Amino acid sequence: MPLFKTINFNSVTQILVWKITESYQELYHEVSLTKKSLLRLQGMKSELHQCGFLSVRKLLQEAGYNDFDLYYDESGKPHLQGGKFISISHSHQFSTIIISDQKAGIDIEMQREKILRIADKFINIQEFEKIKSFGNQDYIKKLTTKWGAKEAIFKIRNEKGISFKDHIQVNTFEIECKKTIAILEMENVKQQFSIYFEEFEGFTLVYAFEN
């Protein structure tokens, strides 16, 4: 399938989303890979993950880059040649990238009831009670957004020891507002982030910027 969505957030930031409808072979023959990426691809046991990996390379091409422009540091964080910031995510049939002059992180998640069982792993009791007070209508959506926001922030900072539950707090929000604020606070660090989110086809897309 062609590019599913493009968000031109501002003059220096672009978000691209791909919906994977192609087979592994179709995607494989439409991209060029470095030797390192090819080895990584071949080592993946799941075709779903392989297609996610390849679709990200399709998104790079849509943005005017390719796999040879992308590299990873020792901690696994992606970078682009030329200095722009990039963040990557894929979930089931969707993949997404954000490319910006600003520090940015992105996450995409399927909205699933499973998140109810793991909520206590990434939100504290105060966050939990605030969500519950608004009723169950948007419960799964709000939990998914909170997880995505914390994941996006973690991708920006990419530091060992960050606890989603203890160190990152997402302000109260309504799904319709499509934005909120989050705070990372640990040791001598206190950093605010702007969070933006939207939904489509049962998925939540979240992206964050360091303020």
Side-chain angles (χ1 to χ4, degrees):
M1 179 177 176
L3 188 65
F4 178 77
K5 180 185 283 285
T6 300
I7 302 168
N8 293 308
F9 182 79
N10 56 32
S11 61
V12 298
T13 304
Q14 188 177 53
I15 298 104
L16 298 97
V17 181
W18 192 273
K19 185 175 182 180
I20 305 166
T21 58
E22 306 88 345
S23 69
Y24 168 81
Q25 290 297 330
E26 287 174 316
L27 287 168
Y28 179 79
H29 290 298
E30 290 178 1
V31 299
S32 297
L33 300 174
T34 65
K35 290 181 179 179
K36 191 171 183 178
S37 288
L38 185 58
L39 287 171
R40 184 177 170 190
L41 178 69
Q42 292 170 342
M44 295 177 181
K45 296 179 180 180
S46 165
E47 186 170 306
L48 183 65
H49 289 148
Q50 289 177 319
C51 287
F53 182 87
L54 292 170
S55 64
V56 166
R57 275 66 196 167
K58 289 287 291 182
L59 288 172
L60 284 171
Q61 291 178 181
E62 292 285 343
Y65 297 89
N66 58 49
D67 190 50
F68 293 82
D69 297 311
L70 183 69
Y71 66 98
Y72 295 83
D73 62 24
E74 293 179 354
S75 63
K77 185 175 182 176
H79 299 269
L80 280 177
Q81 302 287 356
K84 281 186 175 287
F85 294 98
I86 184 171
S87 185
I88 294 168
S89 182
H90 50 82
S91 175
H92 299 268
Q93 68 265 36
F94 283 100
S95 61
T96 184
I97 62 174
I98 185 169
I99 297 175
S100 181
D101 288 355
Q102 304 171 253
K103 289 184 178 180
I106 199 163
D107 191 55
I108 189 165
E109 299 288 343
M110 179 185 282
Q111 298 166 356
R112 297 184 290 173
E113 288 190 5
K114 175 184 176 183
I115 201 162
L116 300 173
R117 299 195 301 271
I118 64 170
D120 64 339
K121 305 295 184 185
F122 67 92
I123 63 172
N124 61 32
I125 188 65
Q126 289 82 10
E127 287 182 293
F128 187 78
E129 291 300 327
K130 285 179 181 178
I131 291 178
K132 284 186 67 177
S133 69
F134 287 96
N136 294 328
Q137 185 175 4
D138 293 328
Y139 197 34
I140 291 173
K141 292 181 178 181
K142 285 185 176 180
L143 284 173
T144 305
T145 302
K146 278 182 174 283
W147 171 265
K150 295 186 180 196
E151 184 70 34
I153 289 168
F154 180 80
K155 288 179 178 180
I156 294 173
R157 299 293 302 199
N158 204 41
E159 297 171 20
K160 291 182 179 180
I162 293 177
S163 165
F164 284 17
K165 182 175 181 176
D166 299 327
H167 299 146
I168 306 174
Q169 307 302 316
V170 181
N171 287 2
T172 302
F173 61 89
E174 292 300 331
I175 296 295
E176 297 77 16
C177 293
K178 297 186 176 182
K179 63 180 180 180
T180 188
I181 295 294
I183 303 291
L184 167 68
E185 189 168 5
M186 57 181 292
E187 298 175 353
N188 297 321
V189 175
K190 186 172 184 180
Q191 179 68 56
Q192 186 182 89
F193 297 83
S194 294
I195 308 295
Y196 299 88
F197 53 90
E198 62 178 83
E199 302 173 314
F200 46 80
E201 298 191 11
F203 285 76
T204 299
L205 175 71
V206 188
Y207 42 101
F209 299 96
E210 190 173 270
N211 293 342

